[in-house]
Amino acid sequence: MKLIYRDFPNLGIVEVKLDQKIIEQLWALIKKAKENSVSLNQFLAGNIDQSYEIKNAKCLDPVLGSCIKNYEKRYGLPYKSLKSKMHENRYVFDSVWVNFQYQHQVNPIHNHGGGYSFVIWMKIPTEFSEQKELPFVKNSNEKDCVSNFSFMYTNILGEIKQATFPMDKNAEGRLVFFPAGLKHMVYPFYDCEEARVTIAGNLSVNQN
């Protein structure tokens, strides 16, 4: 008896470890964003302390260009496109911002606008291995959620599933690239006074 396996088509994400040079450039942009104090809190879903606009994040162009090319090669376009011989998709920064998230604060389930989005974990002051051992967490059957980043999606049975990224020092300097419509959230962390620093951004599709 021969078994034939058929995987249903679905979309995925791309993860990249950024070079130290790019990380240093991003920290310089974060410093400038905080000094300029252009707050984006009113436009974002996060129930967090501080979100500031980042301008001229050109250092990410090569990385994001590679992500787009390889994503579409593997998964195709994750949105409706007018692409034809006469019109080629071009991607432009819609917005880029930095989040400073403190303990007990949450970025609730949401999605972004545009064609693609990305998240970069710059500073993670906690360790998931310690967070899940907190007294009010360790006996829970959902302890993987505390402090972590999660994508939300439905499987072929219509069940809601999570793809969770543990937040610890190993996450620092990593970029995750995904379709802007993919829902995600960031759970709160505890027993730490330091800020979690994250960059996020959207790429819009210009089809003119």
Side-chain angles (χ1 to χ4, degrees):
M1 181 175 66
K2 182 179 179 180
L3 300 179
I4 299 174
Y5 298 94
R6 298 188 184 276
D7 295 323
F8 286 8
N10 204 345
L11 301 173
I13 63 171
V14 175
E15 185 177 354
V16 180
K17 178 68 173 177
L18 297 178
D19 294 338
Q20 185 59 33
K21 183 178 179 181
I22 294 178
I23 294 295
E24 291 171 0
Q25 291 173 310
L26 290 174
W27 276 118
L29 290 173
I30 289 172
K31 181 181 178 182
K32 187 177 294 185
K34 200 168 184 180
E35 289 172 351
N36 293 336
S37 298
V38 180
S39 176
L40 294 183
N41 286 70
Q42 60 187 335
F43 303 109
L44 303 175
N47 297 331
I48 61 178
D49 238 26
Q50 305 162 19
S51 296
Y52 299 117
E53 181 182 13
I54 287 180
K55 295 182 178 180
N56 301 319
K58 296 297 183 183
C59 59
L60 292 173
D61 282 352
V63 177
L64 295 174
S66 178
C67 287
I68 291 168
K69 178 181 178 181
N70 287 285
Y71 190 96
E72 293 181 356
K73 181 178 179 180
R74 184 177 181 89
Y75 300 112
L77 291 175
Y79 52 85
K80 291 183 179 180
S81 172
L82 302 176
K83 192 171 184 179
S84 69
K85 293 181 180 179
M86 299 297 293
H87 297 86
E88 292 188 1
N89 290 298
R90 298 184 66 186
Y91 299 91
V92 294
F93 280 118
D94 180 12
S95 53
V96 184
W97 63 95
V98 56
N99 290 326
F100 293 86
Q101 179 184 2
Y102 291 87
Q103 65 173 329
H104 307 147
Q105 297 178 355
V106 61
N107 211 332
I109 185 167
H110 65 286
N111 60 292
H112 295 186
Y116 294 107
S117 296
F118 61 90
V119 172
I120 305 169
W121 298 302
M122 297 295 294
K123 179 184 177 183
I124 307 297
T126 56
E127 293 288 326
F128 171 62
S129 60
E130 298 173 357
Q131 292 282 302
K132 70 179 181 178
E133 292 301 318
L134 292 170
F136 57 91
V137 177
K138 65 180 181 180
N139 293 323
S140 169
N141 64 1
E142 292 289 348
K143 60 186 174 183
D144 286 347
C145 295
V146 65
S147 82
N148 290 335
F149 178 102
S150 285
F151 287 111
M152 312 289 184
Y153 64 97
T154 55
N155 65 15
I156 63 170
L157 302 179
E159 300 167 327
I160 298 175
K161 297 294 183 179
Q162 293 191 61
T164 301
F165 288 73
M167 289 292 100
D168 52 33
K169 293 297 180 185
N170 290 325
E172 291 183 345
R174 295 190 179 276
L175 179 150
V176 175
F177 179 89
F178 54 95
L182 179 58
K183 293 189 178 297
H184 55 284
M185 72 172 296
V186 185
Y187 290 95
F189 60 88
Y190 306 91
D191 287 359
C192 177
E193 298 293 335
E194 296 181 65
R196 174 181 290 179
V197 184
T198 307
I199 291 175
N202 300 326
L203 297 171
S204 288
V205 186
N206 179 2
Q207 295 182 325
N208 264 327

